[in-house]
Amino acid sequence: MNLASFQAFAQDKQIEGTGTEFIQPLDQDLPSEVLLPILFILFLVFVIINLIKYFLEYRIKNKLIDRGMAEQLSAYLLDKNVQEKQDEVVKLAIIFFGVGLGLLLTYLTSPINLHSLAIIAFCLGLSYLAYFFYLRK
């Protein structure tokens, strides 16, 4: 038996039936099986959107400069002020806290099922509500 076939059967357990034995793979952890790919895809989409945004802002800034607008004025029109940047950081912190709280509550309520998605969605909604109240302050 070579190493590859040995590794293929390393995760199996045997269940005794009525005279015949069959091999059933162990159940894998559902959060790592489902949530990690979703989080990776969300992170990838976030990075791609930010790269596109920076590229398009750069192109707009160059076009404004080419048409004769001063560089300082174009930078003023396109750049965010300090308060907007701080609000964006607070928004991301609140949203990540909400997602983390949702994942923690999902982990604590063991059977991962449809209610787990509801818990995560509810925590995410609460985090957006907290951000809304932060902006209204």
Side-chain angles (χ1 to χ4, degrees):
M1 183 186 294
N2 63 16
L3 183 62
S5 63
F6 180 71
Q7 289 177 346
F9 291 108
Q11 294 290 324
D12 293 341
K13 65 179 179 181
Q14 292 185 359
I15 300 174
E16 294 183 18
T18 58
T20 61
E21 295 182 9
F22 58 95
I23 298 175
Q24 179 180 359
L26 288 174
D27 294 332
Q28 291 185 354
D29 214 10
L30 190 60
S32 65
E33 191 176 275
V34 174
L35 294 178
L36 288 179
I38 290 173
L39 289 176
F40 177 73
I41 290 171
L42 288 175
F43 175 73
L44 190 63
V45 167
F46 178 74
V47 167
I48 290 172
I49 287 173
N50 279 332
L51 286 174
I52 291 172
K53 183 180 88 167
Y54 289 129
F55 176 72
L56 291 176
E57 285 178 357
Y58 176 77
R59 283 183 54 193
I60 288 174
K61 192 175 187 180
N62 281 342
K63 283 185 180 185
L64 289 175
I65 291 171
D66 288 343
R67 294 195 181 205
M69 186 177 285
E71 186 176 349
Q72 291 84 11
L73 183 59
S74 64
Y76 174 75
L77 290 175
L78 294 176
D79 287 342
K80 296 179 182 178
N81 62 17
V82 176
Q83 182 63 34
E84 288 177 359
K85 287 182 181 180
Q86 182 181 3
D87 288 344
E88 188 173 331
V89 169
V90 170
K91 176 180 78 169
L92 288 175
I94 290 173
I95 289 172
F96 283 136
F97 178 77
V99 169
L101 181 66
L103 291 173
L104 177 69
L105 291 176
T106 300
Y107 175 74
L108 293 177
T109 57
S110 270
I112 307 294
N113 208 343
L114 187 59
H115 78 281
S116 302
L117 293 175
I119 290 171
I120 292 173
F122 182 73
C123 289
L124 190 61
L126 283 179
S127 64
Y128 274 113
L129 184 66
Y131 177 64
F132 172 74
F133 287 133
Y134 169 76
L135 288 179
R136 286 190 59 195
K137 67 171 173 118

